[in-house]
Amino acid sequence: MTRVSRRRFLQTSLATAATVTIAGTKSSARVMGANDRIRIAVAGLNGRGESHVGAYLGMKNVEIAYLVDPDKRTYQKRLDQIARKERPAAPCIQDVRKALEDKDLNAVSIATPNHWHALMTIWACEAGKDVYVEKPCSHNIHEGRIAVEMARKHKRVVQHGTQNRSSQGWADLAALAKSGKLGKLLVSRGLCYKDGGTGGSTRGDIGTKPTKAPPADLDFNIWLGPAQEQPYHENLVHYRWHWFWAFGNGDAGNQGVHEMDKARWLIPGATWPKSVISFGGRYANNDQAETPNALVSVFDYGETQLIFETRGLKSPAFRGQTVGNILHFEEGVVAGAKFYPKGKDEGQPIPKVVSDVKLGGDHFTNFIDCVRSRDTAKLHADIEVGHVSAGLCHLGNISYRLGKASSYEPKLGKIAGNESGTDALERMAEHLKDSGIKFDGQNFFAGRKLDFDAKTETFSKDSEANALLTRKYRAPFTVPDKV
């Protein structure tokens, strides 16, 4: 195979929606042995980037070949991390496309902001590289589907960073739900109650930062990537980009995607819901951020409702859980590794059902094992699994974004599906009241009820909602319309 030059790669970027042909790796089509060295680029060096680097440093015959981040200020701490393990220093680069030119690079491990996840996955697949991509694997549903199709077309191993998919305990709980031992599963609930406090990586009031010139060490053009050009301010770099629609997906698509993934996994056979509706708002003293920090989303799966609750202010636990999952069965409730029979307050051991699926081990190790074997069936969290679970976060957000300021009424929860929706709304209102927040008809948003077509991954007869399934991309950082 011939190696494509950097100049040609840039000229034939996805901005034209044309197919980019890049030389595959030496091992792209063959099974690799335990002694074959896997060379990997880690992209995104803050936050989860530290975990990515640490995971690969602990593996035999895995080399960190590149450290990638548009912010040069992130390099030294990762270089120090590598040096402590007495490993060779990796080249530090700002643009992942330079690493993708390397025909001997095997994989890319992505821990960038959300808006880069899908595009970088797509580029890596086209370049013949395997991918570990952090949650959520997409910033919107369209690009998630394109990432899935690119992985299939180029026969790439793509693992999604929802690590609970490597847990035997969660697999066994899914088997219990499927077994019917506790009757029908009525509600699969995910909770993301995280108190952000004030300052730092807050989920509360982040204030307003003035626009200014980007730091000299930050290539802000690359950081923006697929997002439309806009001024730099210090509420973006680093972390608080999560609370802006152009880059993040709120806490539902941040911490919450883990609990969303489990909530869906625990509903037997669940993929996309029939419909979604969300309620909530942003309660943060009119700060600069855009995403809600209190949100209830209800997804209709027929006889089971998936209810997801996001809170970013100090909140009491619900059934002993703050960040976790609760299962409401006909015979009782499973919460916090205990079963509470209907009408009883004392917890009992959860009935034991062992899944036919045998999991366990480290999520990163599972990825590297599959890179070596080329057996994507053994991935614990294949890209399509990630696409649907991340997509649920997007669906809930779309309903909210199309909502209207409304007078708060608990009965709105019944519109969402059943009494459990009403209960979730009432508890959210009580939580906000305890935080000194009153609904005034302007700060409570009732989302639009949206019917979803699983086959086409579009909303039924709702052009406004369908417009939010994708975004306007900025050349040359463009996701194609189709594969």
Side-chain angles (χ1 to χ4, degrees):
M1 299 182 191
T2 59
R3 183 174 177 178
V4 177
S5 70
R6 173 175 171 78
R7 182 177 180 184
R8 183 181 169 200
F9 180 80
L10 292 170
Q11 288 174 339
T12 57
S13 73
L14 289 174
T16 61
T19 300
V20 180
T21 302
I22 303 172
T25 65
K26 288 181 178 179
S27 59
S28 61
R30 71 175 180 87
V31 174
M32 301 176 70
N35 293 325
D36 285 319
R37 180 171 295 273
I38 291 176
R39 301 179 71 247
I40 193 161
V42 177
L45 304 180
N46 261 316
R48 282 294 293 167
E50 179 180 6
S51 300
H52 286 229
V53 170
Y56 300 122
L57 286 176
M59 297 182 191
K60 186 179 180 181
N61 291 324
V62 175
E63 173 191 348
I64 297 177
Y66 296 93
L67 294 172
V68 186
D69 199 295
D71 190 349
K72 293 180 180 179
R73 298 171 298 178
T74 64
Y75 295 165
Q76 193 58 53
K77 55 189 174 183
R78 298 289 80 86
L79 289 170
D80 291 345
Q81 187 180 2
I82 292 171
R84 287 193 294 269
K85 291 292 185 178
E86 298 182 344
R87 296 288 192 91
C92 298
I93 59 176
Q94 291 180 293
D95 191 335
V96 72
R97 289 171 290 189
K98 183 175 180 180
L100 295 180
E101 295 172 5
D102 186 343
K103 62 183 178 63
D104 294 321
L105 185 72
N106 301 94
V108 179
S109 199
I110 303 170
T112 64
N114 295 4
H115 69 295
W116 259 109
H117 287 181
L119 180 60
M120 200 171 287
T121 297
I122 290 164
W123 280 0
C125 288
E126 290 200 314
K129 320 302 182 188
D130 298 318
V131 177
Y132 184 111
V133 58
E134 269 302 333
K135 51 72 190 172
C137 60
S138 63
H139 184 256
N140 62 64
I141 287 176
H142 163 71
E143 67 185 26
R145 171 51 58 190
I146 296 298
V148 172
E149 293 182 7
M150 282 292 187
R152 302 296 185 251
K153 176 180 178 180
H154 297 283
K155 297 180 172 58
R156 293 296 91 207
V157 173
V158 183
Q159 175 92 302
H160 189 235
T162 39
Q163 298 93 333
N164 291 291
R165 288 280 176 165
S166 287
S167 166
Q168 189 64 48
W170 285 106
D172 291 347
L173 196 56
L176 171 64
K178 187 177 180 180
S179 74
K181 274 193 172 185
L182 299 179
K184 292 179 181 179
L185 178 60
L186 304 176
V187 176
S188 182
R189 188 186 307 271
L191 303 180
C192 178
Y193 296 178
K194 300 202 77 171
D195 176 13
T198 57
S201 59
T202 179
R203 288 162 166 81
D205 187 346
I206 67 171
T208 298
K209 301 292 186 182
T211 59
K212 57 191 294 187
D217 286 337
L218 173 67
D219 188 327
F220 191 54
N221 177 60
I222 293 179
W223 190 92
L224 284 173
Q228 293 300 302
E229 192 164 347
Q230 57 188 275
Y232 169 85
H233 59 80
E234 290 180 349
N235 264 334
L236 296 180
V237 183
H238 294 277
Y239 193 81
R240 284 171 283 181
W241 52 263
H242 279 292
W243 323 134
F244 295 86
W245 292 121
F247 314 108
N249 308 94
D251 227 4
N254 180 24
Q255 169 63 48
V257 66
H258 289 293
E259 287 66 52
M260 185 74 83
D261 181 58
K262 289 180 285 184
R264 181 177 72 84
W265 188 10
L266 297 171
I267 302 174
T271 53
W272 296 106
K274 296 179 179 179
S275 66
V276 61
I277 190 169
S278 296
F279 306 92
R282 179 157 192 87
Y283 305 101
N285 198 30
N286 203 28
D287 67 352
Q288 194 171 18
E290 299 166 345
T291 63
N293 59 359
L295 191 69
V296 172
S297 296
V298 181
F299 303 85
D300 181 11
Y301 281 94
E303 64 183 23
T304 304
Q305 302 291 304
L306 192 163
I307 297 180
F308 201 82
E309 304 179 32
T310 305
R311 298 182 185 179
L313 302 175
K314 187 176 181 180
S315 174
F318 179 54
R319 289 189 170 270
Q321 305 296 297
T322 53
V323 176
N325 292 78
I326 301 170
L327 299 177
H328 303 257
F329 291 97
E330 288 178 310
E331 301 299 323
V333 175
V334 171
K338 290 186 178 180
F339 171 59
Y340 298 85
K342 196 171 183 179
K344 296 184 179 181
D345 295 328
E346 188 172 343
Q348 302 177 0
I350 298 174
K352 187 68 174 176
V353 174
V354 179
S355 173
D356 294 334
V357 179
K358 302 306 175 188
L359 299 175
D362 178 76
H363 208 56
F364 288 99
T365 300
N366 171 245
F367 168 62
I368 293 299
D369 287 346
C370 292
V371 170
R372 293 189 186 281
S373 70
R374 314 309 305 160
D375 189 353
T376 56
K378 291 184 178 179
L379 278 172
H380 293 169
D382 175 71
I383 180 63
E384 185 140 23
V385 171
H387 166 56
V388 178
S389 292
L392 295 187
C393 303
H394 304 328
L395 293 183
N397 282 336
I398 290 171
S399 171
Y400 169 80
R401 294 178 72 179
L402 293 175
K404 296 181 179 179
S406 306
S407 296
Y408 168 70
E409 290 287 349
K411 66 183 181 181
L412 286 170
K414 293 182 180 178
I415 298 173
N418 56 24
E419 294 179 2
S420 296
T422 302
D423 168 72
L425 276 179
E426 289 177 330
R427 286 187 294 99
M428 183 185 78
E430 192 66 26
H431 144 65
L432 292 171
K433 180 181 177 183
D434 291 342
S435 298
I437 295 166
K438 297 179 181 180
F439 295 132
D440 59 9
Q442 300 297 318
N443 61 358
F444 174 75
F445 285 81
R448 184 182 298 178
K449 186 175 185 295
L450 301 170
D451 296 322
F452 194 69
D453 185 333
K455 291 183 178 179
T456 62
E457 295 185 359
T458 60
F459 297 105
S460 303
K461 300 177 181 179
D462 195 321
S463 58
E464 282 187 292
N466 284 326
L468 293 176
L469 292 172
T470 186
R471 72 183 303 165
K472 184 178 180 181
Y473 292 94
R474 184 175 69 100
F477 308 99
T478 307
V479 171
D481 291 334
K482 61 182 179 179
V483 175

